[in-house]
Structures are given as C-alpha cells and as structure tokens.
Amino acid sequence: MKTRKILLPIIIVLAVVFALELYLAWENKTIVTTKIEVVSEKIPESFSGYKIVHISDLHNTEFGFRNRRLIRKIREADPDIIVMTGDMVDMYRPHISVAVRLGEELSEIAPTYFVTGNHDVKAVGREELLAGFEKCGVETLKNKKVILEKDGEKISLMGIDDPKFLDDTMSGNDRENTEKALKKLAEKSGESFKILLAHRPEMIDIYSALEIDLVLSGHAHGGQINIPGKGGIIAPGQGWFPEFYEGLYEVGETQMIVNRGLGNSAFPFRINNKPEIIIAELKSK
C-alpha cells in the first residue's frame, strides 16, 4: 500500500513531463504556411499574383533529414522568388553547413535572396556563410538593390545588412546606420513598387519615412510565447509585449510582414507559436 502511494505521484509527474515534451516537440517542429495578400495600386499589373516565399530565423534548425520537410513545403508553394531575412545560423552553435545546404536547395527552386541578421553577423564563420551562399547561387543583398522584371514591368527588391554588420563600416548607433544605409538605396530607386528585406521590424518608422512600400522582416520569433488575446510576450529589440511580432502591419504608406521564424536560439522553445513559412502574394489594386 505504501509502495502504491509513493509510485502514484511519481507516475503522474513522469506522465506530465512526457506529455509536455511531446507537446513542445510538436509545437516547435510543425511548420505552418501562412498566406498573406499584399494589395497596392503601385504593384504593376504583370506582378499581380507574384508569389514571394519568405523564411527567417532558421538558427540552424532542421526539419527532417537535411531539412527535407521544409524544402518540400517551399517547393509546393511554387514561388517566383524566395527570400531569407536573417539569422539562418546561430551564434551559439554556428553550423554553417546547415544554412548553406538549405540555400543550395532553395536556389534550385527559384531565385533566392538573403540579408544578414544579428546572429549571422556575430557567428564564427560568417564569411564562410556568405561565400557558401554566393557559391550555391543565393544572392546576398548587402545594402544592394536588384530589379525584378516581368512582361516589361519592373519592381525593386532592396536589402540592407543588419545594423551589427553596418557597425563595421559606419560610425553611429544602430538606428542611424540603418537610416544611412537605406537612404542611399531608396533615393536611387525609381521603380513604382519597392520591397525591402530587413531583419529588424522595430525600425519600421525608418522604413516608412523613406517610402518603402513593402518590408519583409523577422527577428521577433513571433513573441516566443503567444498568449491568446494578448499576443507575443517578448521579442529582441522590442522587449516585453512587442508591437511587431507576426503578420501584416501598416505604418503610413508602408506595409510590413513579420515572419515568426523557424528556429529558436537562447530561448530554446516556443509555445502557441509554430515555425512559419510565409507566402506573400502581390495583388495589383
């Protein structure tokens, strides 16, 4: 009888721990695909229906052997282009090969573009990451603009380095350096619709002031833990109860999509906040 009284609480505790581990594994390894329509009168007619697959914040995570589950979902989306908005590696475990191998696979599906995040900047082997992407056909937009053309019409795709990268070449704080870098790009862009890849959503006021039409961003990890009715709890750069942590936002004339990301870093799990692929589909108004 005494043995039963001792064993019962132990069994209950073990069952609860096991159930929690199963839940966290399911929550952190189940990829969801979110479709977001971006409507603007500035989008040329030929780009209506243009699909951008947006991923962010991989942090060396793998979904199946060699990321097969992730690659399959992206392939099924049938994108026109693929963009990665930073932190593909993790500064605490910088396995460069995971990110480069994924980049190689994605560049075979569609033209693929990348901008740096704060972890990519700080990671050991960051030059190896950039060289690996270049070799496999992923274009890194280091304060650079490319023109996307379809049926004779054009839109611009711009990308800026994470502010921690800009520290290498500019004197100033993160916001000042971001504004300087983007201003140089935006001033030269004469295309009707301007898309920006930028890791940090909390700088939306800068992007909006420089008249960017659409920003694709990450960094916030969906607020890490999402409380129904309250939203995300915490995000880097924004602190507790962040304003910009997932989905579509509008500030002035600028629309911004914040990707919840795929992996985790120092905070090792997410709750009510599954890893995400975004399909941003452009619609001419």
Side-chain angles (χ1 to χ4, degrees):
M1 198 68 179
K2 286 184 179 180
T3 304
R4 286 185 182 179
K5 286 183 178 180
I6 293 171
L7 284 177
L8 186 58
I10 294 173
I11 291 170
I12 291 172
V13 169
L14 291 175
V16 169
V17 170
F18 180 68
L20 181 60
E21 287 183 352
L22 282 179
Y23 168 76
L24 289 177
W26 172 72
E27 185 73 11
N28 288 263
K29 289 292 187 177
T30 302
I31 307 170
V32 298
T33 300
T34 304
K35 296 180 181 179
I36 297 176
E37 282 193 355
V38 178
V39 182
S40 172
E41 59 187 14
K42 292 184 179 181
I43 295 171
E45 190 64 37
S46 60
F47 279 89
S48 197
Y50 194 85
K51 287 193 289 186
I52 303 170
V53 162
H54 174 204
I55 65 172
S56 195
D57 299 86
L58 182 71
H59 288 282
N60 297 129
T61 305
E62 293 194 85
F63 298 86
F65 179 68
R66 290 178 173 260
N67 261 318
R68 288 298 163 199
R69 286 196 290 118
L70 175 59
I71 293 164
R72 184 175 67 250
K73 278 186 169 288
I74 292 173
R75 191 183 301 277
E76 288 170 354
D78 191 27
D80 289 286
I81 62 171
I82 300 166
V83 301
M84 303 184 289
T85 54
D87 285 1
M88 301 307 286
V89 298
D90 191 273
M91 73 175 85
Y92 304 113
R93 49 185 194 286
H95 306 309
I96 305 298
S97 61
V98 174
V100 172
R101 188 167 57 235
L102 177 62
E104 184 176 8
E105 295 274 4
L106 297 186
S107 64
E108 291 178 1
I109 298 172
T112 302
Y113 302 91
F114 166 72
V115 290
T116 55
N118 54 303
H119 278 257
D120 305 311
V121 174
K122 295 178 181 178
V124 175
R126 71 181 188 181
E127 298 307 324
E128 181 187 344
L129 172 69
L130 299 181
F133 277 162
E134 183 179 5
K135 186 177 179 180
C136 72
V138 174
E139 185 165 2
T140 300
L141 299 181
K142 290 178 63 62
N143 310 315
K144 181 180 175 182
K145 179 184 80 169
V146 296
I147 301 300
L148 305 177
E149 187 169 354
K150 190 174 182 182
D151 299 334
E153 295 184 298
K154 300 175 182 179
I155 61 176
S156 61
L157 178 68
M158 297 179 278
I160 55 170
D161 268 329
D162 185 81
K164 295 305 177 190
F165 236 123
L166 297 174
D167 287 348
D168 293 350
T169 56
M170 294 183 180
S171 59
N173 61 40
D174 287 352
R175 290 182 59 82
E176 289 172 349
N177 289 345
T178 296
E179 187 172 14
K180 288 176 189 174
L182 182 54
K183 193 172 184 179
K184 288 181 181 179
L185 282 180
E187 284 177 344
K188 299 176 183 176
S189 184
E191 290 69 40
S192 61
F193 191 73
K194 299 186 283 292
I195 302 173
L196 173 67
L197 308 183
H199 185 60
R200 304 197 186 215
E202 67 269 20
M203 298 193 183
I204 179 62
D205 59 313
I206 294 175
Y207 312 146
S208 181
L210 292 171
E211 300 181 342
I212 303 301
D213 298 300
L214 173 64
V215 181
L216 301 176
S217 190
H219 192 48
H221 291 209
Q224 209 69 52
I225 296 172
N226 193 302
I227 300 175
K230 292 291 185 182
I233 284 189
I234 191 168
Q238 298 183 70
W240 294 100
F241 298 104
E243 184 176 0
F244 309 108
Y245 60 94
E246 67 168 349
L248 179 65
Y249 301 89
E250 289 190 32
V251 175
E253 298 298 315
T254 298
Q255 299 182 71
M256 178 174 70
I257 294 174
V258 182
N259 192 306
R260 293 200 303 264
L262 291 160
N264 300 305
S265 184
F267 198 93
F269 58 85
R270 47 177 72 207
I271 294 176
N272 194 30
N273 173 30
K274 291 183 179 66
E276 179 177 57
I277 294 168
I278 288 178
I279 303 173
E281 186 169 352
L282 307 185
K283 293 287 185 181
S284 180
K285 190 173 182 180

